[in-house]
Each structure stands twice: as structure tokens, then as C-alpha cells.
Amino acid sequence: MVKKLTLSAILLASSLFAASEVNVYSHRHYDSDKILFKKFEENTGIKVNVVTAKAEELVSKLAIEGENTPADILITADIGNLYEAKTRNLLQSIESKTLQENIPSHLRDDQNQWFALTKRARIFVYNPSKIDEKNLGDYFSITKPEFKGKIITRSSTNAYNKSLLASIIANHGEEKALEFTKGLVDNFAYNPKGGDRDQIRAVAAGDADLAIVNTYYLGVMLNGKDKKDLEIAKSVKIFFPAQETTGTHINISGAGVTNFAKNKENAVKLIEFLSSEEAQATFAEGNHEYPVNAKVKPSSTVSSWGTFKEDNISLNEIGKNTKKAVEIATEGNWK
């Protein structure tokens, strides 16, 4: 009898331990996420264990680990990597009324394998003393000859630019995407280098006149402790491309439950929490990303930029064209 009770106690303790945690593989590295994971732990008693690395590394790690993976959730900062995880059968479909209510359909997978948590708009940042806004329009507008030697952006291997080019393929076709790539490269002030904040700094310094960047980088610079970056961010202006056509390209951070999640119920609870008004407000205020939950407003800084037309194309369509985008970038000599 004693042995049976001891075994039962061990099994109960084991099940309680398993039920009290959730393991996250995340590409995100922001304070906002740490705050939210801690809040989730306080609210639920579920311990959040996080492994951070580049998205490509995490996807490969999941594939190698297979059914032995400890990961319950994959979080990436780009739709391309989420789509890659889905096509490699690393995610599973989940049912959640909460996620369907909190996240618009075009910002979640049609098979419920991934869900957007935040949005980033890919915009133009320009020097107002060098660029007349009247000459700006869609993404193709900066490929015109008058912009020769004035444009900069990150490498084509960067996830944000791969998704931007993939969206152009999805909206306009491969021929137009190659035309865009060649025109962009012809107008580079210099070969791509650095991150988005480096592009903004270069425009402010006069090394180039216009850069393609994500909105939240500018928001972070405008609200950071670095006074120099603050002045730099104040000196440039932003432009939302393609307002008369497809709308400005939107990329996301998103999450999915892994195919072999050991703590599936806890994983769903965490993703649901991250889509809640409370969590969305933390993302918005802490990192100046656009919330995906329509009930939540952007930060005051982001709101000051005004509203704009978003490209609402299915993000899966962008994911499908990511590999083709790499091929076209190579053909167009976008390094």
C-alpha cells in the first residue's frame, strides 16, 4: 500500500511539474517580452522558459530535435521564418476562439498554425532638405533615375527585405519584382551595410537621402536614452509607400505551437495572453510596434505619424514567395 501511494505521489508530482511550465524558442530579444513573460507567470503560476537565437537557427534546431524538442512555442520576428516552420511540419494547428477574436484573419495562418503578435510597417525615412515628398509614391517610385545615388537599405539577405520583395512578387509578379530590384540597386548610394538604425543615422548624416526601414526602429530611437539618436530621429521624416495602390508592406512578429509540444495547453494560454489588450499595449508602448489587436492603440509616438493604408495581402502568400525573392535579389545584384 505504501509503495502504491509513493508511486501515485511521484506521478502526481511529475504531472504537476509538467503542467507548470511552457518552453519558448524566441527570436525576439526585447524588454517588453521579458515583462510579459513575468506577468504571465504571476497570473498563471506557469513558468516560462525561454531560449533566444536567430529565427533560422531556431527553426533548424526544431527540425533537428524532432519529437525530442523541449520547445512548446516558436516566436519569430518575420513571416518568412514562420512560414518555413509550417512547411517543414514543425508547427501544429490549434483551436482558440480568443485568438480568432483578437487577431484579424489576414494576420493568422489559415490552418491556425501561427498567429501574429505585432506588426511592423516597412517605410521610407528621408532627409526633408534633400527629398520632396511629392516625388514619393509606391515602392517603385524610388527606382526612378532621379533617385540615383540617394537610396540605402539593408542587405537583401535580411528577413525584412526578403519579405518586402516577396510581397512585391505576390502583388505585382516576378518580372516587376526584378525590375524593382534592378532599379533599387542602380540607385544605391553605397552597397548595403548595417541594420535599420544605421540606415536612419546615415540619412541624417547626409550619406544618403532616403532609406527603407521598419517603423519601430525609429520609434525606439525617438524614445531611447541616447540623446544623439534622439536628435537623429527627429531630423528625418517618414513616408508610408503605396497608399494609392496596394498599401504599405506589413511584416510581423508571430508565434506558433510546436508540433511536438509537451505543454500544449500552456502554450495556447501564453499565446492567447500575448494577444490580449494588456499584452498588446505593452508591446506597443515598450517597443513601438503596431498592435495586432484592434482594441489597442499604438504608442503616442507611433500614433503621431497618422493612420495609413496597410497591405492586407495574406501573409502566407508572402511566405510562399520568400525563396523566389532570394533568387530575384541575386539576379538583380542586390547584395
Side-chain angles (χ1 to χ4, degrees):
M1 183 67 175
V2 173
K3 289 184 178 179
K4 288 184 178 180
L5 285 174
T6 302
L7 180 59
S8 297
I10 291 172
L11 290 174
L12 177 60
S14 177
S15 65
L16 286 174
F17 178 76
S20 66
E21 69 176 2
V22 61
N23 301 305
V24 180
Y25 282 3
S26 179
H27 181 201
R28 290 174 60 90
H29 49 81
Y30 310 115
D31 289 340
S32 59
D33 298 52
K34 296 176 184 177
I35 292 169
L36 289 172
F37 292 150
K38 183 177 180 180
K39 187 68 174 179
F40 178 76
E41 290 177 337
E42 293 172 351
N43 290 347
T44 65
I46 299 170
K47 172 67 175 175
V48 181
N49 305 308
V50 184
V51 172
T52 57
K54 292 181 179 180
E56 294 86 353
E57 294 173 359
L58 293 174
V59 171
S60 294
K61 184 175 173 64
L62 278 174
I64 293 169
E65 292 171 341
E67 63 183 18
N68 295 316
T69 184
D72 302 306
I73 295 176
L74 172 68
I75 298 178
T76 78
D78 172 69
I79 180 55
N81 291 302
L82 279 175
Y83 185 82
E84 175 73 9
K86 176 185 175 180
T87 59
R88 295 175 71 174
N89 297 316
L90 302 176
L91 303 177
Q92 64 174 289
S93 300
I94 61 173
E95 293 298 325
S96 170
K97 183 179 179 182
T98 298
L99 291 174
Q100 290 180 348
E101 291 176 348
N102 289 347
I103 303 173
S105 59
H106 70 283
L107 295 175
R108 47 185 161 87
D109 179 50
D110 54 8
Q111 295 179 325
N112 296 322
Q113 291 199 17
W114 57 258
F115 301 84
L117 299 176
T118 67
K119 297 185 295 184
R120 295 96 175 270
R122 200 94 177 123
I123 60 164
F124 298 156
V125 166
Y126 67 95
N127 183 333
S129 67
K130 300 287 186 66
I131 297 288
D132 186 346
E133 189 174 297
K134 294 179 181 179
N135 293 324
L136 301 177
D138 59 15
Y139 292 99
F140 293 91
S141 67
I142 60 172
T143 67
K144 295 177 182 178
E146 55 261 39
F147 287 97
K148 191 171 185 65
K150 298 181 178 181
I151 309 301
I152 54 173
T153 190
R154 293 167 83 153
S155 167
S156 66
T157 60
N158 170 257
Y160 305 139
N161 280 336
K162 283 194 286 188
S163 289
L164 171 61
L165 189 53
S167 74
I168 292 174
I169 295 171
N171 281 318
H172 303 286
E174 294 179 20
E175 186 176 334
K176 291 291 288 184
L178 179 58
E179 179 184 315
F180 166 80
T181 301
K182 289 181 176 180
L184 184 69
V185 171
D186 284 344
N187 287 344
F188 278 161
Y190 50 78
N191 287 332
K193 61 180 179 179
D196 277 19
R197 271 175 275 205
D198 295 311
Q199 316 305 316
I200 296 170
R201 294 174 186 130
V203 169
D207 297 331
D209 296 347
L210 182 148
I212 306 173
V213 301
N214 278 354
T215 43
Y216 83 96
Y217 286 105
L218 188 63
V220 169
M221 291 174 73
L222 287 167
N223 291 275
K225 296 180 180 179
D226 190 317
K227 293 183 178 179
K228 185 175 181 181
D229 267 358
L230 173 60
E231 292 306 312
I232 286 171
K234 285 182 176 179
S235 72
V236 299
K237 287 193 173 183
I238 69 172
F239 182 85
F240 292 96
Q243 293 304 284
E244 302 299 322
T245 54
T246 58
T248 298
H249 168 61
I250 297 295
N251 206 334
I252 63 165
S253 278
V257 177
T258 63
N259 197 25
F260 296 104
K262 310 300 188 299
N263 303 291
K264 180 179 178 180
E265 184 177 344
N266 292 347
V268 174
K269 286 180 180 178
L270 178 53
I271 298 175
E272 287 178 339
F273 171 70
L274 295 176
S275 75
S276 69
E277 292 181 50
E278 176 186 4
Q280 289 286 296
T282 299
F283 283 136
E285 294 296 332
N287 206 39
H288 304 284
E289 298 172 275
Y290 285 96
V292 297
N293 189 322
K295 295 179 181 178
V296 180
K297 295 181 179 180
S299 70
S300 57
T301 295
V302 174
S303 295
S304 71
W305 300 334
T307 58
F308 65 98
K309 178 182 176 182
E310 299 180 16
D311 184 356
N312 287 333
I313 189 172
S314 167
L315 292 176
N316 271 328
E317 288 301 312
I318 294 175
K320 289 176 185 177
N321 285 289
T322 300
K323 289 183 178 179
K324 178 56 67 173
V326 174
E327 295 174 9
I328 288 177
T330 301
E331 185 178 352
N333 201 32
W334 184 355
K335 297 179 180 178

